Amino acid sequence: EAGVAQSPRYKIIEKRQSVAFWCNPISGHATLYWYQQILGQGPKLLIQFQNNGVVDDSQLPKDRFSAERLKGVDSTLKIQPAKLEDSAVYLCASSFLATGELFFGEGSRLTVL
Amino acid sequence: AQKITQTQPGMFVQEKEAVTLDCTYDTSDPSYGLFWYKQPSSGEMIFLIYQGSYDQQNATEGRYSLNFQKARKSANLVISASQLGDSAMYFCAMRGMGRDDMRFGAGTRLTVKP
């Protein structure tokens, strides 16, 4: 089966610009996650969707980050305006069971100059 | 709140030897799952092994085993017969049953020496 798809793989922008990342989860996976992984750290959960509803966005910096999952399938994470500290890999993951493992995409590496 | 602690930023092991990566956790959930992921330099997160809090036996998957000590709240990963391809970051993670979010530790960088 196809894995979690993410794009773009790499993005370089200047601070105060905007950027959007796209994720398509594994077919049939109701739960979708966006994680931020800063170099040398573990992934940090930004937002979690169950179908097209938000379950947890407590760690999402809502003044600049937004995410949506229309139709309960693919999802978009947007950053506007970007700051230098947003440089990180943005990982999308999905799961079938609420208690099972997460399946990750290859990530989108963002560099903010 | 859930918390995962990995106290070893880096570990070295000789090829073909065994290595233990430490993980301790804290949670108020009565039941939970513990996971280990491998992240090679290419960046993808690869699921390795899972242990449920009510599982009586330690989980094993090929060369990976999880040394689960519930009373001590530890879930150490043991890799037997290390290979050069095992060099990577390793993350311990936890998910409470009935909670969908998964929290990760800071990771341990394992380097396997020839």
Side-chain angles (χ1 to χ4, degrees):
Chain A
E1 71 183 358
V4 177
Q6 287 189 249
S7 67
R9 287 293 314 277
Y10 304 93
K11 189 74 176 179
I12 301 174
I13 61 174
E14 295 190 350
K15 60 183 178 182
R16 291 188 289 273
Q17 288 186 325
S18 63
V19 63
F21 302 112
W22 174 83
C23 171
N24 188 269
I26 292 173
S27 177
H29 283 195
T31 311
L32 184 148
Y33 310 77
W34 283 101
Y35 284 86
Q36 180 193 57
Q37 186 176 22
I38 293 172
L39 186 64
Q41 299 181 16
K44 182 183 89 171
L45 179 69
L46 291 176
I47 189 167
Q48 174 193 336
F49 292 95
Q50 180 77 16
N51 296 309
N52 61 347
V54 175
V55 175
D56 183 358
D57 63 356
S58 57
Q59 298 192 85
L60 186 74
K62 298 180 185 64
D63 57 336
R64 298 182 300 105
F65 286 65
S66 65
E68 60 183 9
R69 190 184 183 196
L70 300 176
K71 301 180 182 178
V73 181
D74 56 352
S75 176
T76 302
L77 175 71
K78 296 180 181 177
I79 307 174
Q80 181 179 15
K83 292 185 175 181
L84 296 177
E85 58 260 37
D86 298 333
S87 294
V89 176
Y90 291 86
L91 295 164
C92 179
S94 68
S95 69
F96 177 66
L97 295 174
T99 56
E101 73 266 30
L102 269 58
F103 295 84
F104 284 84
E106 293 181 306
S108 295
R109 182 177 298 276
L110 173 66
T111 302
V112 182
L113 302 176
Chain B
Q2 296 178 326
K3 184 177 180 182
I4 303 286
T5 303
Q6 294 180 255
T7 57
Q8 307 155 313
M11 289 283 287
F12 291 88
V13 64
Q14 205 69 35
E15 191 178 9
K16 299 181 185 177
E17 292 185 349
V19 63
T20 298
L21 306 183
D22 294 341
C23 173
T24 59
Y25 61 91
D26 192 19
T27 181
S28 56
D29 289 320
S31 103
Y32 47 88
L34 295 155
F35 304 77
W36 277 90
Y37 282 83
K38 172 184 179 182
Q39 188 177 43
S41 57
S42 53
E44 75 269 31
M45 295 283 280
I46 302 168
F47 166 72
L48 296 178
I49 195 167
Y50 164 81
Q51 177 85 42
S53 59
Y54 286 105
D55 292 342
Q56 296 296 317
Q57 290 188 319
N58 286 341
T60 60
E61 288 287 347
R63 296 186 297 110
Y64 304 108
S65 61
L66 202 152
N67 183 0
F68 180 48
Q69 298 184 51
K70 191 172 182 178
R72 299 180 64 181
K73 293 188 175 180
S74 74
N76 299 338
L77 177 70
V78 180
I79 305 175
S80 63
S82 297
Q83 301 172 356
L84 295 179
D86 294 334
S87 293
M89 285 290 291
Y90 288 81
F91 292 97
C92 180
M94 179 171 65
R95 192 178 200 184
M97 300 299 180
R99 296 165 54 93
D100 289 337
D101 59 320
M102 184 176 290
R103 307 286 173 166
F104 287 81
T108 296
R109 179 172 298 282
L110 176 67
T111 303
V112 180
K113 298 187 290 186

